[in-house]
Amino acid sequence: MKVDKIIVVDFGSQYTQLIVRKIRENKVYSVIKSNNLKVEEIIDEKPKGIILSGGPSSVYDENSPKISREIFELGIPILGICYGFQLTSFMLGGVVEKSSKREFGSANIKIIYEEKLFKNLPSSFSVWMSHSDKVTRLPENFISLASTSNTEYAAACLPEKNIYGVQFHPEVVHTEFGNEILKNFLFEICNCSQNWEMSNFIIDKIIEIKSLVGREKVVCALSGGVDSTVAAVLVQKAIGNDLHCIHVNTGLMRKNESEEVIEFFKKNLNLNLHYVDASELFLERLKGITDPEEKRKIIGRTFIHVFQDEVKRIGDVKFLVQGTLYPDVVESGAFSKNSSVIKTHHNVGGLPKDLNFILIEPLKELFKDEVRELGKELKIPESFLMRHPFPGPGLAVRIIGEVTKDKLDILREADFIFIDELKKNNLYDKVWQAFAVLLPVKSVGVMGDERSYEFTIVLRAVTSLDGMTADWAKLDYEFLNLVSNRIINEIKGVNRVVYDITSKPPATIEWE
Ligand code: XMP
């Protein structure tokens, strides 16, 4: 089915992804494109509208990102936001005033002319500003739609060409009626239909995967994580048992994890699953290793060897499924080059690019919450879709220093108790991630009448949106007390429990 689409051209704003999300929440499909995109590409994609995002540059900077002038002549409605508005004005003959002073925060706008963009909105409301430069003279034939005490042209348009611009950010929650403004753009100006639905997405993907794969064999590394599971279930719907899922038990998983994952995949999801128990091999290779980076490298390499051996057993395999999400594509792609934020990536425990497979990445247009929605449509139980993230190298990065079987067993039990209590106390879904860490430090305690000298367990729980920054979770003292008591009473080898109260930054979420 053909869905209506809005192209968002990225100029490096931290809000670009948010614009896309807000549009999709209105059931209209939207994608981010680099400002280098060619006019032919736009014509090919037939978007119903184009949004030019904000960005940190000034249109007068020599290297500031621009777009092809022809975009304004295509007859496709355009909305410039902040830098996008300044660029539109500048390229169409208006004047932008360079300023080193930044206007940041709430401002009150007065609507001068309702036009379609502000249809059915109050005559004055609060908007979110975040800019330095501003438009001081509109291009010819543009009309002013709104102003603030600081910004004469807070919004403007060229009605006969459906070109609009706003100096503020309608996509952020601090702008009152921001969603209504976006909706007016989508439905009053671009005449979009609300036809972006998960069920349509599933049907389209199944057809696409079927025709790509034919009767060839496909493999997938199934860790038990949400993304790879949803991707696998979707591909299985398309090609059935030609999809071979490989679950490698690294021995570095949480308590009962591999067993539960296998049972779940085979029974609930009916996946064609190959189980490889490589736990002894991983332990052997990690023997004597204490450096965190060394651990990650060894685990990464071992994983690839084990995976490849299993693939050889399956036979001639052409395709590999990966659960890459939209933010990963955006962050590693061309779009982020205008941005002043630099993000680093973890891919330890993943697979390298040069394995000679053709990649199938069925989730690469989706955000995390959309993947969960897709998972629900695919009948994957919610308890599974809401699981906390788990790092590829597993418990190895949660045991400081050398990893041994004994320490793994202690940590698994402590982690299990913490997670169990979070679930019982309805706190599991309130934190972004929670786990235990084992410190090789021993300290003195007293148990009954006896002196003890045992390991320390750290409890770590964080709230976060995306794992890039995080705050330590302010868990209730009574709750922490309960978890601490259970750990000390039930686990031999631990006599002290501490709670990590560091945010990220300066700490990372994991301890190694
Ligand atoms: P940090 O510790 O860097 O972690 O604050 C941020 C998020 O990433 C997860 N993480 C990893 N995930 N392989 C992964 O697949 C890794 O090597 C890895 N290291 C950290 C971590 O659990 C948290 O959710």
Side-chain angles (χ1 to χ4, degrees):
M1 182 185 159
K2 194 86 195 77
V3 292
D4 287 351
K5 185 192 290 179
I6 299 287
I7 286 181
V8 178
V9 181
D10 178 46
F11 293 102
S13 164
Q14 54 176 324
Y15 302 132
T16 305
Q17 288 205 30
L18 197 57
I19 303 172
V20 170
R21 297 200 42 144
K22 294 279 168 186
I23 297 170
R24 290 192 194 179
E25 277 166 23
N26 284 302
K27 296 190 187 263
V28 175
Y29 186 55
S30 177
V31 283
I32 300 178
K33 298 276 179 185
S34 143
N35 67 297
N36 290 330
L37 96 163
K38 302 241 164 19
V39 175
E40 295 75 41
E41 199 182 324
I42 299 184
I43 296 170
D44 256 15
E45 296 215 11
K46 300 192 186 65
K48 297 284 276 189
I50 299 171
I51 291 185
L52 309 177
S53 88
S57 316
S58 166
V59 288
Y60 291 109
D61 293 346
E62 205 183 315
N63 295 324
S64 62
K66 305 277 183 339
I67 37 163
S68 161
R69 176 86 174 57
E70 292 154 274
I71 287 178
F72 297 104
E73 305 300 334
L74 293 174
I76 300 171
I78 292 179
L79 172 64
I81 295 178
C82 197
Y83 179 81
F85 174 36
Q86 293 158 14
L87 186 67
T88 304
S89 304
F90 177 72
M91 290 183 72
L92 298 182
V95 175
V96 176
E97 189 180 293
K98 198 168 166 53
S99 156
S100 53
K101 263 210 343 253
R102 198 173 162 80
E103 183 187 14
F104 184 79
S106 283
N108 216 35
I109 63 163
K110 289 200 169 41
I111 306 299
I112 298 163
Y113 182 37
E114 191 181 86
E115 229 276 335
K116 291 180 222 154
L117 193 65
F118 296 118
K119 195 173 162 192
N120 294 333
L121 298 188
S123 56
S124 174
F125 52 90
S126 178
V127 297
W128 188 255
M129 293 287 193
S130 172
H131 65 108
S132 305
D133 297 2
K134 62 183 176 190
V135 177
T136 52
R137 200 180 72 213
L138 293 174
E140 208 175 325
N141 298 330
F142 268 66
I143 54 172
S144 173
L145 299 181
S147 66
T148 71
S149 58
N150 191 38
T151 308
E152 191 181 349
Y153 303 118
C157 80
L158 179 59
E160 68 265 25
K161 290 206 166 154
N162 273 328
I163 298 177
Y164 291 77
V166 289
Q167 184 52 71
F168 58 91
H169 289 272
E171 70 277 22
V172 305
V173 286
H174 315 291
T175 292
E176 280 185 287
F177 308 105
N179 195 38
E180 281 71 15
I181 295 169
L182 286 177
K183 273 162 90 170
N184 281 341
F185 180 67
L186 297 177
F187 305 120
E188 299 293 327
I189 297 166
C190 303
N191 294 318
C192 288
S193 306
Q194 292 182 290
N195 48 14
W196 163 248
E197 299 268 358
M198 254 329 149
S199 48
N200 293 339
F201 176 84
I202 294 175
I203 295 167
D204 285 353
K205 277 290 157 196
I206 288 178
I207 296 170
E208 190 187 312
I209 295 165
K210 260 190 181 151
S211 68
L212 173 74
V213 170
R215 288 310 317 265
E216 298 289 344
K217 287 192 176 115
V218 181
V219 286
C220 174
L222 213 52
S223 60
V226 175
D227 306 339
S228 62
T229 306
V230 174
V233 172
L234 185 55
V235 174
Q236 192 239 16
K237 286 250 176 302
I239 61 164
N241 279 353
D242 285 334
L243 173 69
H244 296 257
C245 300
I246 302 174
H247 178 76
V248 177
N249 180 358
T250 58
L252 307 168
M253 323 288 268
R254 288 169 284 204
K255 185 175 172 182
N256 300 334
E257 175 128 33
S258 273
E259 295 79 356
E260 279 171 15
V261 162
I262 297 164
E263 164 137 345
F264 181 74
F265 286 151
K266 280 198 165 158
K267 282 203 179 144
N268 288 11
L269 303 179
N270 206 17
L271 289 175
N272 178 8
L273 187 72
H274 300 242
Y275 171 72
V276 189
D277 183 356
S279 45
E280 283 188 14
L281 178 68
F282 277 87
L283 258 187
E284 197 181 293
R285 298 219 176 142
L286 285 169
K287 209 171 181 172
I289 307 296
T290 54
D291 178 71
E293 284 311 300
E294 190 67 10
K295 279 187 199 172
R296 277 169 196 273
K297 277 193 201 128
I298 290 172
I299 294 166
R301 275 200 300 264
T302 309
F303 185 88
I304 292 162
H305 290 161
V306 174
F307 184 79
Q308 277 179 320
D309 280 353
E310 191 57 32
V311 172
K312 271 190 212 130
R313 248 172 248 137
I314 293 168
D316 190 18
V317 176
K318 282 221 166 56
F319 297 91
L320 171 73
V321 180
Q322 287 203 318
T324 321
L325 302 193
Y326 194 55
D328 307 330
V329 179
V330 175
E331 277 156 22
S332 55
F335 317 114
S336 52
K337 72 180 184 319
N338 299 323
S339 160
S340 44
V341 192
I342 295 158
K343 294 185 177 176
T344 51
H345 268 264
H346 295 287
N347 202 20
V348 180
L351 295 165
K353 290 255 177 289
D354 54 1
L355 282 182
N356 278 336
F357 292 119
I358 302 168
L359 284 185
I360 303 176
E361 297 174 302
L363 312 181
K364 80 169 185 235
E365 288 111 340
L366 304 183
F367 290 100
K368 187 87 182 181
D369 55 338
E370 292 175 325
V371 170
R372 292 198 165 117
E373 198 188 322
L374 171 62
K376 260 193 241 166
E377 287 269 336
L378 291 168
K379 310 266 181 305
I380 300 174
E382 195 145 348
S383 59
F384 188 87
L385 295 173
M386 299 311 288
R387 294 174 86 190
H388 290 174
F390 188 65
L395 300 184
V397 290
R398 295 178 179 172
I399 291 174
I400 309 306
E402 188 185 4
V403 178
T404 64
K405 172 94 175 46
D406 290 349
K407 285 184 193 156
L408 277 168
D409 287 343
I410 291 176
L411 181 57
R412 265 193 266 271
E413 289 304 322
D415 189 76
F416 178 79
I417 290 172
F418 189 24
I419 299 298
D420 186 44
E421 288 299 338
L422 282 166
K423 285 184 178 161
K424 282 183 183 152
N425 288 277
N426 289 326
L427 291 168
Y428 184 80
D429 293 333
K430 301 213 164 71
V431 297
W432 195 76
Q433 196 174 12
F435 53 89
V437 175
L438 186 140
L439 301 188
V441 180
K442 288 195 168 184
S443 70
V444 175
V446 52
M447 298 264 265
D449 290 333
E450 297 214 358
R451 176 187 186 275
S452 66
Y453 188 57
E454 311 279 16
F455 288 131
T456 305
I457 284 289
V458 180
L459 302 178
R460 177 83 162 136
V462 294
T463 52
S464 175
L465 278 178
D466 53 9
M468 302 315 257
T469 60
D471 201 2
W472 61 278
K474 314 292 182 295
L475 294 177
D476 188 65
Y477 286 164
E478 281 308 314
F479 172 77
L480 289 170
N481 189 34
L482 174 82
V483 177
S484 166
N485 282 345
R486 269 197 69 188
I487 290 177
I488 304 283
N489 289 333
E490 294 176 31
I491 307 174
K492 215 168 150 280
V494 181
N495 68 350
R496 196 173 290 270
V497 176
V498 298
Y499 188 51
D500 182 348
I501 54 164
T502 340
S503 296
K504 172 184 178 176
T508 50
I509 296 176
E510 301 290 346
W511 271 53
E512 281 197 341

